[in-house]
Amino acid sequence: MLRQRETKTVRAPIDSVGLLLLVVGVGSLQFMLDNGNDHDWFASPMILTLGLIAVVALVFLVVWELTAKHPVVDLSLFGRRNFAVGVTALSLGMLAFFGINVVFPLWLQTTLGYTATWAGLATAPVGILAFIVSPFIGRNIQRLELRAVVTFAFLVFAFTSFWFATFNSSASYASLVLPRFIMGIAIACFFIPLNQIFLSGLRPDQIAGASGLANFCRTLASSVSTAITVTLWQHRGEFHHASLTEYVTQASPAATAYTQKLSMIGIQGKPSLAVVDQVLNREALTLAVNDVFWGCAILFLALIPILWFAKPPFGNAGGAGAH
């Protein structure tokens, strides 16, 4: 049915140098991000070497792609205002959103004792409102002020992130599920409108390259987010553990009363100190995850002014003059 509607095919030479630099640079960066936390980051010669290779390869990639006749990655797209603003908001928004989705189930399983199934059930409600609202956003995409829609999404993300930052280690399952459920409405208002914004004003022959480059930036932001948020959570957990330990002394009435209660049930000496340490770990990691949620919320709010640098209209052929 569609064989008569085939688009024009052009045989272009392969940018082999750019492709090699892309594979080496991104491959080294991805491996570094995935394994850095397990090897104490740049204290490891392997991670340090991979980081240097990634920096050198990606710098050469940018220089090469800006001068190549047939670039494997069309970086000139970032010269267009809507594309630059849209991809920046998409990538940084994805960094904060994905960070929440990474540390939340980790915290539930490693700190609160949730099984993988129950952690998944606590995380999954975020998809309910996204599933319901997405068709409405897609159907009315031409009628909406897309910057306002994405602003609403960032406000909801920030509100729920601040909400998450208020939970303690005794939070109930129901209290944890509610903000995840509300967060879902922001997902539909985040991805769909931003796609329309960064594609606006592009020629038909630029759409495929722009979509690929934007998806690459979004995926890379997810990898960076995982590395940053997990490392930040662990380091802040160590910081809070050290701070809380200062209050566990014989001069502390609360600590003394707690150890006395442990001794009344037969837990004394080193076993009692081990129990106290477990409690400190739980509370420290909870305070640390709250710090991560605070950071994500602030990033969402900081992205709102950037978003309004995009220039309407944002229709299929809109924003042609937005540079």
Side-chain angles (χ1 to χ4, degrees):
M1 291 174 60
L2 300 176
R3 65 181 181 273
Q4 301 300 328
R5 301 180 63 86
E6 182 62 65
T7 54
K8 184 179 180 181
T9 302
V10 178
R11 184 178 297 276
I14 297 175
D15 180 15
S16 55
V17 175
L19 185 60
L20 177 63
L21 291 171
L22 181 66
V23 171
V24 172
V26 175
S28 299
L29 179 62
Q30 186 71 51
F31 192 87
M32 183 193 75
L33 293 174
D34 289 344
N35 297 276
N37 196 51
D38 297 332
H39 293 81
D40 197 21
W41 289 104
F42 296 111
S44 165
M46 179 185 69
I47 299 300
L48 180 61
T49 302
L50 287 171
L52 292 174
I53 293 174
V55 169
V56 172
L58 292 177
V59 168
F60 274 96
L61 174 68
V62 171
V63 175
W64 180 268
E65 295 301 285
L66 290 176
T67 57
K69 291 183 178 180
H70 303 280
V72 68
V73 180
D74 188 5
L75 297 179
S76 65
L77 290 168
F78 283 104
R80 307 191 67 88
R81 179 194 297 184
N82 286 354
F83 184 82
V85 170
V87 171
T88 299
L90 178 66
S91 300
L92 295 180
M94 191 65 184
L95 189 148
F97 173 70
F98 201 79
I100 293 172
N101 288 336
V102 168
V103 298
F104 180 67
L106 278 178
W107 172 62
L108 294 181
Q109 293 180 73
T110 61
T111 308
L112 301 191
Y114 278 56
T115 63
T117 300
W118 278 104
L121 291 173
T123 306
V126 74
I128 297 174
L129 287 180
F131 177 77
I132 295 173
V133 176
S134 291
F136 171 80
I137 297 295
R139 190 181 308 117
N140 297 278
I141 195 75
Q142 303 295 342
R143 307 175 189 174
L144 299 171
E145 167 51 85
L146 300 186
R147 294 172 299 179
V149 175
V150 182
T151 297
F152 170 75
F154 285 155
L155 288 174
V156 173
F157 280 141
F159 169 73
T160 52
S161 298
F162 281 128
W163 191 352
F164 276 125
T166 64
F167 289 129
N168 55 39
S169 60
S170 61
S172 66
Y173 174 81
S175 64
L176 293 171
V177 166
L178 184 57
R180 290 291 297 178
F181 175 77
I182 295 175
M183 181 183 283
I185 194 172
I187 295 178
C189 300
F190 172 49
F191 290 106
I192 300 175
L194 271 179
N195 285 342
Q196 190 78 356
I197 288 175
F198 71 70
L199 291 177
S200 61
L202 299 181
R203 301 189 309 270
D205 62 293
Q206 294 177 310
I207 297 296
S211 298
L213 183 55
N215 286 328
F216 166 75
C217 292
R218 183 181 67 178
T219 304
L220 187 61
S222 301
S223 299
V224 173
S225 174
T226 302
I228 291 176
T229 53
V230 172
T231 301
L232 180 62
W233 178 45
Q234 293 180 350
H235 287 187
R236 293 296 294 176
E238 294 170 358
F239 167 78
H240 286 299
H241 186 278
S243 298
L244 293 174
T245 303
E246 297 176 359
Y247 296 93
V248 183
T249 65
Q250 293 181 349
S252 171
T256 303
Y258 190 80
T259 54
Q260 288 177 349
K261 289 180 180 179
L262 291 177
S263 64
M264 292 174 61
I265 59 176
I267 303 177
Q268 299 178 350
K270 290 184 178 180
S272 68
L273 294 178
V275 172
V276 171
D277 187 61
Q278 289 180 350
V279 173
L280 291 181
N281 278 331
R282 183 186 67 196
E283 300 306 319
L285 289 174
T286 300
L287 291 171
V289 85
N290 289 345
D291 293 342
V292 174
F293 289 141
W294 266 93
C296 292
I298 292 172
L299 179 55
F300 283 127
L301 293 178
L303 288 174
I304 293 176
I306 296 175
L307 182 67
W308 287 85
F309 281 102
K311 183 178 179 180
F314 302 119
N316 294 332
H323 293 280

